[in-house]
Structure formats: structure tokens, C-alpha cells
Amino acid sequence: MTAITEGASGSRQRFPALPGWAITTAGIVAFLLLWEVVARTLLAGSYIIAAPSEIVARIDEGAALYGRALRTTLWAALLGFLIGNATAILLAGVASLAARAERLVQALALVVFCLPLVATGPILRVIFGPGIGPQVTLAALAVYYTTLIPLLVGFKAVPSSWPDLVASYGRGRFQTLIHVRARASIPYLVAGLQIAAPAAFLGAMVGEFTGAERGLGVLTIQAIRTLDVAGTWAIAVIATVTSIAGYVAIGWVGKRFSHGAPPVLLAAPPTPDRSAPGRRIVTGVLAVVLTTVVAIGLWWALLELFDLHPFFAKRPSDVWNYLFNLPASGANRERVLSALAETLSVTVPGYIAGLVIGFLAACLFELYPAAGRAATPIAIALRSIPIIATAPLIVLAFGRGAFGMLIIVGTLTFFPTLVAVAQGLRQTPGQVVDLFGVYRAGGVRTLVTARIPSALPAFFAAARMAVPAAVLAATVAEWLATGTGIGNLMALTASTSAYNLLWSCVVVLTLVSVAGYGLVALVERYVLHRFAPEQLR
Amino acid sequence: MPDHRLFDAEGRPRPVSLPEVRVADVTKRFGRRKSEVVALDGFDLTLAPGTMTALVGPSGCGKSTVLRMIAGLDRATSGGVTIDGQPPGAVNRRGEVAVAFQDAALLPWRTVEANIALARQLAGQDRADELVANLIMMVGLAGFERARPAELSGGMRQRAAIARCLATGPRLLLLDEPFGAVDELTRRRLNIELPRLWEEHGATGLLVTHSIPEAVLLADEVVVMSPRPGRVIARIPVPLSRPRNAAQLKSQTFLEVADRVAEALGVDRDEPGVPLQPAAAPMPAIPRIKLAAGGAG
Ligand SMILES: Nc1ncnc2c1ncn2[C@@H]1O[C@H](COP(=O)(O)OP(=O)(O)OP(=O)(O)O)[C@@H](O)[C@H]1O
Ligand SMILES: [Mg+2]
């Protein structure tokens, strides 16, 4: 890793006058000022934006109330964080010990990651009853994937001579895991845990949307219902600051334990498969079938194991019958699919817009490093905002129509893309950039021919991970605010106890997310093959 | 540490029990069908107890593959590898086999001391702090016990790796281009140190190398391999006396043996190493070091 990180800073020192922290601080101050001015002039009285000063006043006023709610949510988030990450570490360990299980573990993990959290909330609510069960479960679900995947990558990011060394003393995978892989993967683990901090908070808040008694999520719902703009913003700010604090704290702790900088890639890259194309298709199909069978088996087994009542805990067969086997199945399908189409009609454009703008912004920042240095920390901070907390704001600002949704999905895709691409661009090995310097290639030229190809894997990693996130954002916005699409349909079914429909929605949405993820992975394979084959190895 | 030194205080050979390694009619294929690579075909090799054998040959001819099979890291497609009649693997667990890798393979988060101790830990032996300290002295790293690999030079790292190899008291030493990554000057110095360490320690040894002088100075026999698929094309004994020393580098015997090895390889003796390209077919790259999968570079 060292060679890469060294290359990162080496060659661009065009603005040496100001130290980094000064530029960052200036950026933050300018941002706040702009916000205050806009809120007090342009958008005053529009029920959209509260000025920073108003928000601070509101937080001060409701300190006791917010403090209590924050404690509740934090506690649920913390429990979920611990449970989710412990599960991830355990799964990664299993995958590392049993190589054949790795692909299955990854595929199942992806399926679970693609579960629409909003819809899982009400189901968990009936299962757990009152209390923090659903919040904790959702927080755990929200974090485990972003820890599991970097860990799996980190386990493999060792020179082959290290495992060979262990094997040369006749020891197997377990000793390799203990002595080599565990320690080598710490930077990756830290990167995953950092992302997990805001994600856990987000999961806990989503859990609170679905019928909790206390917590920031509950306050958010009340604030939206009463059109309390300052209140909504106050909660969003509290959630954001808390998340960023978690992000920074874990990063700080992590730095003390890992020497290298945390890597960018947080999604497993597509494994280069050198077998013949025909064979590849066969193994691919087999993998999908196997995953489906195991997923359905697990679903059924879990419900039976906990002896959950079939009234709300629908089995795979119930969903199948509901969608395909009953006289009303045609109508049922029609209902789910038309709602899905409505959701996708905004999610897909928003997702693509987020990707494109994020990519372009990162390139701009690369060409104008001063702007980049001011903006990157803000982008990293914004990436860690629990977007759910801001969804209501965006709906307030841009209305309940498609445009508001577009903005939500777009923003959610934009920030991770920006951060990943920016870091990917900077990862170009120093010598390559120096080579371009020697030939006096211009900034744009270097960017296009050298930096962008090496940033492609980071871009696609972000793009893949953003698929379930975009679906989540869209459904949450629909659930909470816009009253359209499959998110709204699930909200209705949850309140009318139409559990067959709810489970069907969950299944369909999960399939759509998994398919989207797979589609992006295919595009990735094609593009990398075509434009950056060296990245495929 | 068991004492199997090859020479007593007066320099007379000592009778010790060291393993014999037999590689008999081994074939090794990688990949399947279209992309198949035949690395070794009908390969035979015997490592006599207590001798050091050097294996030289063009790049990609299968030297590392031979070494890895003896170390139990790879299996032969057909044919057999035995250490004292047993398959490799059984002996590894007792710490009787030690492998030195081209890239030293020191764990960056462990100190020199801890890296050396790791070998004993993996072999299920006790910590033996004193022995570790002695080994560090022997390889000339005194004062660097607590240093991390990143703070060492390339040559120092290789010495640490060699100390680690010796830490379990192995009876079989497998060295895969241990000095491949260090500069020429350091390499020459280590070439003079290694025979001393090996003679003092006593073990059956296999040394894979690209350097003809290194092969001749260190080994009792130089085995020359053909380009892929690798076979033995020459076995050249080295009649230099032991213990070896730097003066022998200029001796007539040395130059003659080196010439014969060079001739078998089809190169000039004064070329610094064996040519890096095999005669036919471009060499496929084997990604040995894998960074974050999909990472830049
Ligand atoms: N894991 C593997 N998968 C596929 N092919 C391999 C693998 N390991 C080695 N090979 C092939 O086997 C042949 C011999 O490889 P090996 O590493 O033993 O060569 P070598 O003689 O050690 O070369 P060098 O001197 O460059 O180290 C090479 O052509 C290589 O392409
Ligand atoms: Mg080799």
C-alpha cells in the first residue's frame, strides 16, 4: 500500500501557501455563511430552510428533549453497531476459513443488504413488539455489509508469500487467519467501521420511524407532520454531527492501530475469472441458483425456528401464491409492479445523475486542487449524514413531487461517488503522473489518460454500493413524505396489516436491488475490460 | 536447538542425520485445457543429505515450482516428492523444513525479534528468547531486535528472514532466490555470509538462484534446468572445499565450474545472471503480490 499512498501527495504542490486546515476551515465558514444568507433572504418564510442561527437557537431551546431522544437513538445504534459488526467479522472469518463458502457468504450478504430497510421495520415491529428490538436489528442490518466486504478484501490484500510462510510450517487457514490476515486487514476494517458509524445511526432512525415510542426518529416524524422547519433541521443537524463524530472518532482510533491509510475500495471487485466464457456462464447460473435456494431456505427456516405466526410472518410459499397462484394474483402483480415502476422512474434518473455529477465534480476538484481541498472534507462529512434525516428536508424544499425524490436519490448517490472517485484519482501511482509531467502533458490530458482509468474501480465500487442505498432513499422518501410508489404502498400495507402484499414488496424490491447491483457489476466488467484492463488483473 | 553442524571445531566433517529429498519423474501442469501451462515434465532431482544444491535455469522454467512442491506448498500433477521417504507436510509441522522467500516475507507489524519468533510459534516450539537473540547476532542484526521491517534495508530484511529460517532448527532449508531483491554489493556480502551460516547450522539445502557465482560459491552441486517445460539438463558438482570463503571466488576451480554452468545455460560466464527471458514464447506474468484486489496499480 505504501507505494500508492506516497504517490498520492507527491506531485501536486501548486498552492503551498495555505495549510490544509486553513483552507478547510475557510470552506466550512463560507458554506455556513452562504447558508445563513440564503435562508434569511432568498428563501425566508418559504418553509424550506432554517438558517444556522435559527437551528442553533432551536437546539438550545429543546436541549433536554433532544438530549433524551439522542440518548435513546444512540443506544440502539450502538447495540446495532456492535451486533452487526460482530456478525460481519464472524462471517468474514468463516469465509476465510472455508474458501468455497466465500462466494455464497458474499452473495447472501448482498441479498440481505438489498432488503428494503423501511419495509423490514414494520415486520420487525410486529415480531419484537414495543421496545428497541427493531431499531437495533435495522442498525445491525445497515452496518454489517459495509464491514464484511472491506474485510473480505482486506483478508486477501496480502502478498502470497505471507500465507505461504505459514503453510511452509505445515499450518493451515486458521493460523493464517490469526497470524497474517486478521492483522493485515485492520486498515480495511477501520474503513468499514467508519462508514458503519453513520449507517448504524441511520438504521436506528429508520427503525424508529415505524412505531417506536422514543428517539430522534420519532421526533422527526412529529416535526414533519407539524411542518416544523426549524425542528426538522435541528434534528438533522444533531444526527449529522453525531454521525460525523462517530466517523471521526473511529478514524482516529483506527489510525493508531493501522499504519497505512484506509483504502478506498469498500465493495468487492468482480473476481477476475479466467475460465472459458461458456463455463463462466454455467458457474454464474449455478451460483445464482444456489444463492436463491439458500436464501429461500434461510427465510423459511428462520420463521419456523422462531415459530413466528403466519399471519404476519409470511413464508416463501405465501408470497409465491400471492403473486402467481391465486385468482387475484394478476391484480396483485399489477399493483406491486406499477408502484415499482413509479419508484424506479425517479430512482434510476436520480441515481445516474448522482453518479455523473459525482464523477465530474471529483474530476473538477482534481484539476483545481485548492477547490478540492476545501470541498473534500465537507463532502466526506456530508457522506456520513444519515440521509434519512435529511430526506424530509429535501421534500420540504423541493416539494412532494418527482423532483424532490430525484434530488434525494441523486444526493445520496453523489457524495459516496465523489469521495470514492476523488480518492481513486489520487491513487494513481506517482511515477505514472511524473511520467506525464516529464512529457509536459496538460492537467486535462493527465486526468483523462492516466488518472481516470486508475479511478474506475473506485467509481464502480461506489456505483455498486449506491444501488441499494438509492432504493432505500427513494422508498424512505415515499414512505415518509411523497405518498407515491412502492414505498407508499408498503406504508399502506403496513398500517392495514396486508402482510402478503408487504412481503411481496420486500421480495420484489430486494430482487430489483440485487439485479441492479449485478447489472452495474456487468457494466463494470465491460468498461474495465475495454478501458482499463490492467485494473482487472 | 538440535545440533546438526556439518563440521566440528577443527573443521572435520561430522556425522549427522539429515534428510534426503527425492523428486521423481514429476510433472506439474497449471490451469486447465486451453490455458494449460506445463511447468515441469519428467523432472528428477535428489538432494543428498547434508549437501547444498543450487538450481539454476531461465526465468519461468519451474524452479520455484520445484521448491514449492518440496515445501509442501504445491502438489505435483504426477510423480512423487518425498523427504526421507515421507510426503512433504508431515515433516513441516515439526519445524524441520524452512523456506526463504524472494521477498523476505516479514510481517510488517512485527519487530525483527517477533518475526523470528513467529517461526517457532508456527512450528509449535517454545519461545526460546535466547536462541532468537543469538540468531540475530549471528546474522549481524544486533541492535535491531525491536526494529520493524520497514526500518530495515533490503539486505537486512533478507538476513532477518534467514534468521527466521534457522530459528526452528530445520534439517531442510529451501531458499528461493533469497537475495533476488537486494543490490549487487549486498548480495556479494550475503553470498559470503550464507555458506558460513549454513555450514554452522547444518542442513540439507536447495538454493534457487539466477546468479552463477552465487550458485557455485554456495552449492555442492549445481543443477541446470531447461526452459519450460523444465527438466534437468546438467548436474555439475562443485569440488570446492568447505568451509567456503571469499578467496575461493578467484580460484581456478571456481572459474572452471562457473564456466561449465554458464555453458550449460548457454550464456557467458561474466554476464551478471541468467537471461531473464526464456528462449521461446513470451513469459506470462504471474501476479505474485496482490494488493487490495482491484486497487490501483
Ligand atoms: N499458480 C500458477 N498458476 C499458473 N501458472 C503458474 C503458477 N505458478 C507458476 N506458473 C507457471 O509455471 C511456470 C514456472 O513457474 P516458476 O515460478 O516455477 O518459474 P521460475 O523458474 O521460478 O521463474 P523465475 O526465475 O522467474 O522465478 C511459469 O511459466 C509460470 O507461468
Ligand atoms: Mg521463481
Side-chain angles (χ1 to χ4, degrees):
Chain A
M1 298 302 319
T2 43
I4 290 172
T5 30
E6 278 165 15
S9 54
S11 36
R12 288 164 302 127
Q13 290 290 327
R14 271 201 279 161
F15 298 88
L18 280 175
W21 61 266
I23 297 182
T24 308
T25 316
I28 293 173
V29 169
F31 177 73
L32 286 178
L33 273 180
L34 187 72
W35 180 357
E36 180 85 31
V37 169
V38 169
R40 293 210 172 265
T41 53
L42 259 166
L43 297 172
S46 64
Y47 286 101
I48 296 174
I49 276 188
S53 55
E54 286 176 90
I55 298 171
V56 171
R58 170 53 73 90
I59 293 177
D60 183 44
E61 192 181 300
L65 176 68
Y66 293 136
R68 256 186 324 231
L70 178 63
R71 266 202 299 282
T72 311
T73 310
L74 255 184
W75 176 237
L78 183 70
L79 282 181
F81 181 87
L82 294 177
I83 296 172
N85 287 316
T87 315
I89 293 173
L90 206 74
L91 279 177
V94 168
S96 167
L97 291 179
R100 281 170 193 283
E102 176 169 348
R103 274 181 80 167
L104 186 64
V105 167
Q106 258 191 45
L108 284 178
L110 174 64
V111 172
V112 177
F113 180 58
C114 285
L115 286 177
L117 290 190
V118 242
T120 346
I123 296 173
L124 290 171
R125 182 59 65 198
V126 241
I127 294 175
F128 280 101
I132 61 170
Q135 290 94 298
V136 174
T137 315
L138 285 189
L141 282 177
V143 302
Y144 87 99
Y145 193 72
T146 46
T147 303
L148 173 66
I149 296 302
L151 253 187
L152 287 178
V153 175
F155 278 166
K156 290 194 200 133
V158 296
S160 63
S161 60
W162 297 359
D164 280 350
L165 174 74
V166 177
S168 74
Y169 288 101
R171 304 292 147 178
R173 290 172 167 273
F174 185 68
Q175 296 284 326
T176 312
L177 183 63
I178 301 285
H179 287 295
V180 174
R181 303 198 192 279
R183 185 63 179 72
S185 66
I186 286 183
Y188 294 77
L189 177 65
V190 170
L193 291 182
Q194 269 191 304
I195 307 242
F201 204 77
L202 179 152
M205 280 185 75
V206 174
E208 288 169 351
F209 289 159
T210 56
E213 305 89 47
R214 272 185 293 277
L216 283 181
V218 178
L219 291 186
T220 308
I221 298 218
Q222 284 167 4
I224 301 173
R225 298 241 163 91
T226 54
L227 273 185
D228 176 2
V229 180
T232 314
W233 277 93
I235 298 167
V237 166
I238 293 173
T240 305
V241 169
T242 315
S243 297
I244 293 178
Y247 183 91
V248 171
I250 292 174
W252 186 80
V253 173
K255 252 204 192 126
R256 326 207 68 199
F257 285 98
S258 62
H259 302 293
V264 208
L265 296 183
L266 295 178
T271 33
D273 189 346
R274 292 188 223 295
S275 49
R279 207 189 156 76
R280 210 180 298 157
I281 291 173
V282 172
T283 46
V285 170
L286 275 181
V288 170
V289 171
L290 183 68
T291 310
T292 315
V293 169
V294 175
I296 292 178
L298 276 180
W299 167 7
W300 181 82
L302 274 180
L303 299 192
E304 293 298 329
L305 192 70
F306 290 103
D307 197 20
L308 297 176
H309 198 286
F311 171 67
F312 57 83
K314 297 297 178 192
R315 273 49 173 182
S317 56
D318 296 323
V319 170
W320 176 262
N321 288 336
Y322 182 80
L323 287 179
F324 296 103
N325 241 349
L326 296 176
S329 287
N332 296 340
R333 275 205 306 271
E334 168 62 28
R335 201 160 166 211
V336 174
L337 290 183
S338 64
L340 177 68
E342 193 174 6
T343 303
L344 289 186
S345 68
V346 275
T347 310
V348 174
Y351 169 77
I352 292 176
L355 286 186
V356 172
I357 300 174
F359 191 93
L360 292 180
C363 291
L364 270 184
F365 288 170
E366 190 58 31
L367 288 177
Y368 303 99
R373 235 175 297 159
T376 311
I378 297 177
I380 291 184
L382 291 181
R383 179 177 71 164
S384 60
I385 294 179
I387 199 79
I388 306 307
T390 59
L393 301 177
I394 297 176
V395 172
L396 277 182
F398 298 100
R400 289 174 184 262
F403 190 63
M405 293 259 311
L406 209 73
I407 298 277
I408 291 173
V409 175
T411 331
L412 196 97
T413 319
F414 170 80
F415 285 115
T417 311
L418 171 64
V419 174
V421 175
Q423 293 182 359
L425 288 174
R426 234 165 295 150
Q427 269 201 340
T428 314
Q431 306 97 306
V432 176
V433 175
D434 289 345
L435 186 71
F436 277 81
V438 168
Y439 289 113
R440 304 208 174 283
V444 176
R445 183 91 184 277
T446 317
L447 184 73
V448 171
T449 37
R451 289 193 187 275
I452 287 183
S454 60
L456 282 178
F459 168 74
F460 279 110
R464 273 183 283 139
M465 301 292 274
V467 171
V471 171
L472 173 68
T475 45
V476 168
E478 289 171 342
W479 180 292
L480 284 183
T482 66
T484 56
I486 199 163
N488 182 51
L489 186 61
M490 293 190 297
L492 284 179
T493 56
S495 56
T496 58
S497 305
Y499 287 109
N500 268 323
L501 182 54
L502 181 58
W503 282 80
S504 301
C505 289
V506 171
V507 171
V508 169
L509 267 181
T510 307
L511 288 180
V512 165
S513 293
V514 173
Y517 189 101
L519 189 68
V520 177
L522 276 183
V523 175
E524 170 175 17
R525 192 185 272 276
Y526 173 77
V527 171
L528 289 190
H529 197 78
R530 182 96 175 62
F531 297 103
E534 76 280 359
Q535 302 288 352
L536 268 177
R537 260 203 301 246
Chain B
M1 181 157 84
D3 181 10
H4 23 78
R5 272 174 290 169
L6 294 176
F7 302 93
D8 63 16
E10 276 83 53
R12 285 186 302 262
R14 295 178 58 211
V16 280
S17 131
L18 290 170
E20 182 190 53
V21 178
R22 282 175 184 276
V23 180
D25 193 22
V26 158
T27 302
K28 176 72 186 175
R29 297 196 193 94
F30 289 106
R32 37 175 112 82
R33 272 184 248 155
K34 266 186 211 160
S35 55
E36 188 180 81
V37 171
V38 184
L40 298 170
D41 193 12
F43 183 86
D44 285 296
L45 179 72
T46 302
L47 307 184
T51 62
M52 173 66 84
T53 306
L55 198 55
V56 298
S59 182
C61 71
K63 304 181 293 294
S64 299
T65 308
V66 171
L67 183 133
R68 291 175 59 81
M69 285 189 308
I70 299 174
L73 298 174
D74 263 337
R75 271 169 197 279
T77 312
S78 72
V81 179
T82 54
I83 301 173
D84 273 346
Q86 294 183 330
V91 267
N92 295 46
R93 278 182 165 258
R94 282 177 263 141
E96 294 185 358
V97 182
V99 185
F101 299 90
Q102 181 163 355
D103 65 344
L106 299 173
L107 301 181
W109 54 85
R110 283 180 171 248
T111 59
V112 167
E113 219 170 39
N115 262 297
I116 297 173
L118 176 65
R120 293 189 64 83
Q121 214 175 331
L122 288 171
Q125 299 171 332
D126 58 2
R127 288 176 42 107
D129 293 338
E130 206 176 317
L131 170 90
V132 172
N134 275 339
L135 279 170
I136 291 179
M137 292 257 280
M138 251 167 74
V139 298
L141 285 178
F144 290 92
E145 292 85 355
R146 298 279 152 82
R148 305 212 183 251
E151 302 157 32
L152 304 181
S153 72
M156 289 159 92
R157 271 179 235 158
Q158 289 303 342
R159 289 181 214 198
I162 285 169
R164 179 181 59 196
C165 276
L166 301 179
T168 58
R171 295 158 68 228
L172 176 60
L173 268 181
L174 303 170
L175 312 171
D176 191 354
E177 297 184 45
F179 310 132
V182 299
D183 63 279
E184 189 55 30
L185 278 179
T186 313
R187 179 179 199 140
R188 285 191 191 181
R189 202 164 55 237
L190 293 172
N191 278 347
I192 294 169
E193 288 172 12
L194 186 64
R196 178 179 57 84
L197 284 173
W198 177 74
E199 283 155 7
E200 278 177 13
H201 180 84
T204 305
L206 178 67
L207 170 77
V208 169
T209 177
H210 275 141
S211 154
I212 297 176
E214 178 170 299
V216 177
L217 186 64
L218 268 62
D220 299 296
E221 182 180 50
V222 180
V223 173
V224 181
M225 287 175 72
S226 68
R228 210 183 65 212
R231 307 163 187 274
V232 176
I233 51 174
R235 306 179 48 166
I236 300 160
V238 184
L240 291 174
S241 66
R242 292 211 180 255
R244 299 277 161 89
N245 55 56
Q248 290 169 323
L249 276 169
K250 303 215 171 63
S251 72
Q252 194 55 36
T253 326
F254 179 90
L255 294 176
E256 276 169 24
V257 175
D259 273 335
R260 287 186 59 196
V261 175
E263 195 185 340
L265 280 165
V267 295
D268 205 17
R269 186 221 320 145
D270 294 328
E271 280 177 35
V274 178
L276 289 175
Q277 293 300 325
M283 183 179 51
I286 332 166
R288 272 287 149 78
I289 295 189
K290 216 165 151 194
L291 281 173

